[in-house]
């Protein structure tokens, strides 16, 4: 006997994927360049974790990473129309994050102690602490002189080519190793060492002239 209920096919609900989710990054970029908000949001969802990971690599101890992330998204939205090759979106986005981090370093109001000497090396070639000189002065005149000195150092750094300045700041201010700087700046370790050495020489020359003028 025919059982109408038993012979009926069982229907299951299937969630249809959002067509925008099926698009490649390149296609999403093209749509985002036309100010398609859905395409832009999909790019953000896909790459937000990668942005966070990259910013953590750049500034693991920073409290500003959330601000950096927001700035990356803002700059991404404003500048995506200038991206000529949609296939390079991922590397373009990483470069935006890197630039924002470097910009934040340059905007710092004051520098910490910078060693202008080469690191002390043992006979085995291992690096030891740099030759920083402790400043114990506390008189107003000394404070003013120290502020003037720091301003002069900042000025000397500002005159360096960007690649030299970035490498030296990462080394002297943030204490990164040559290997870490090479990874962050996408350079060879030997290139990083050469840039830092030349940057130190240039800053040393500037400071020597400064001290002669003050004498």
């Amino acid at each position: 006997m025919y059982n109408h209920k038993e012979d009926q096919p069982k229907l299951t609900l299937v969630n249809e994927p959002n067509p925008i989710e099926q698009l490649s990054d390149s296609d999403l970029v093209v749509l985002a360049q036309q100010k398609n908000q859905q395409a832009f949001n999909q790019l953000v969802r896909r790459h937000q974790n990668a942005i966070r990971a990259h910013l953590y690599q750049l500034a693991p101890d920073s409290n500003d990473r959330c601000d950096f992330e927001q700035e990356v998204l803002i700059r991404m939205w404003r500048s995506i129309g200038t991206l000529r090759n949609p296939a390079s979106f991922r590397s373009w986005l990483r470069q935006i994050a890197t630039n924002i981090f470097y910009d934040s370093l340059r905007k710092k109001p004051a520098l910490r102690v910078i060693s202008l000497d080469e690191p002390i090396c043992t006979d085995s070639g291992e690096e030891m602490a740099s030759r920083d000189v402790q400043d114990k002065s506390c008189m107003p005149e000394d404070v003013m002189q120290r502020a003037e000195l720091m301003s002069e150092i900042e000025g000397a750094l500002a005159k360096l080519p960007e690649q030299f300045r970035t490498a030296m700041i990462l080394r002297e201010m943030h204490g990164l190793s040559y290997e870490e700087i090479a990874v962050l700046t996408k350079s060879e370790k030997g290139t990083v060492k050469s840039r830092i050495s030349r940057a130190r020489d240039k800053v040393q020359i500037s400071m020597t002239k400064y001290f002669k003028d003050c004498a």
Side-chain angles (χ1 to χ4, degrees):
M1 182 177 180
Y2 177 75
N3 188 325
H4 179 72
K5 290 185 178 181
E6 291 182 358
D7 291 342
Q8 280 184 333
K10 295 181 179 180
L11 300 178
T12 57
L13 295 176
V14 178
N15 292 325
E16 290 290 337
N18 187 341
I20 205 82
E21 297 176 356
Q22 308 302 313
L23 297 178
S24 67
D25 281 358
S26 296
D27 291 335
L28 290 172
V29 168
V30 172
L31 289 175
Q33 288 176 331
Q34 300 168 7
K35 300 305 179 182
N36 184 303
Q37 188 68 50
Q38 281 190 316
F40 180 81
N41 291 343
Q42 181 62 26
L43 285 170
V44 171
R45 282 192 290 270
R46 284 187 188 178
H47 297 279
Q48 194 162 28
N49 287 338
I51 293 172
R52 289 172 179 168
H54 184 55
L55 289 172
Y56 181 80
Q57 281 186 319
L58 291 170
D61 299 321
S62 175
N63 295 321
D64 299 325
R65 287 202 307 276
C66 288
D67 293 337
F68 292 162
E69 183 180 336
Q70 290 300 313
E71 182 62 28
V72 170
L73 298 182
I74 292 171
R75 198 171 296 185
M76 171 184 164
W77 174 251
R78 290 176 176 173
S79 305
I80 196 166
T82 65
L83 180 59
R84 295 183 178 180
N85 180 13
S88 65
F89 171 77
R90 188 179 181 87
S91 60
W92 175 78
L93 189 59
R94 283 174 59 89
Q95 190 59 51
I96 286 179
T98 302
N99 289 343
I100 287 173
F101 169 68
Y102 288 158
D103 287 346
S104 73
L105 293 183
R106 287 190 282 270
K107 291 176 182 177
K108 286 185 179 295
L111 298 174
R112 284 181 263 173
V113 176
I114 296 179
S115 170
L116 301 180
D117 295 327
E118 292 291 336
I120 304 170
C121 295
T122 64
D123 293 338
S124 62
E126 296 180 352
E127 287 189 7
M128 297 174 62
S130 55
R131 303 179 181 90
D132 293 331
V133 178
Q134 185 178 5
D135 184 359
K136 297 181 179 180
S137 62
C138 59
M139 299 298 291
E141 182 179 351
D142 294 329
V143 172
M144 291 180 62
Q145 290 177 348
R146 186 166 69 242
E148 182 181 344
L149 175 61
M150 295 307 295
S151 177
E152 190 68 25
I153 292 175
E154 287 182 350
L157 286 172
K159 295 176 183 177
L160 296 175
E162 182 176 354
Q163 292 176 325
F164 288 19
R165 181 171 63 250
T166 297
M168 187 168 181
I169 288 174
L170 291 175
R171 177 67 175 174
E172 303 292 0
M173 289 181 60
H174 291 265
L176 298 187
S177 67
Y178 293 123
E179 291 82 1
E180 290 171 324
I181 298 173
V183 171
L184 291 178
T185 59
K186 297 180 181 179
S187 308
E188 297 293 331
K189 179 180 175 181
T191 302
V192 170
K193 284 188 172 183
S194 175
R195 287 174 180 169
I196 293 174
S197 176
R198 292 173 66 183
R200 285 173 175 152
D201 288 343
K202 290 178 181 296
V203 172
Q204 186 71 63
I205 291 172
S206 295
M207 298 311 298
T208 299
K209 182 178 182 302
Y210 166 74
F211 286 122
K212 284 183 178 179
D213 292 341
C214 292

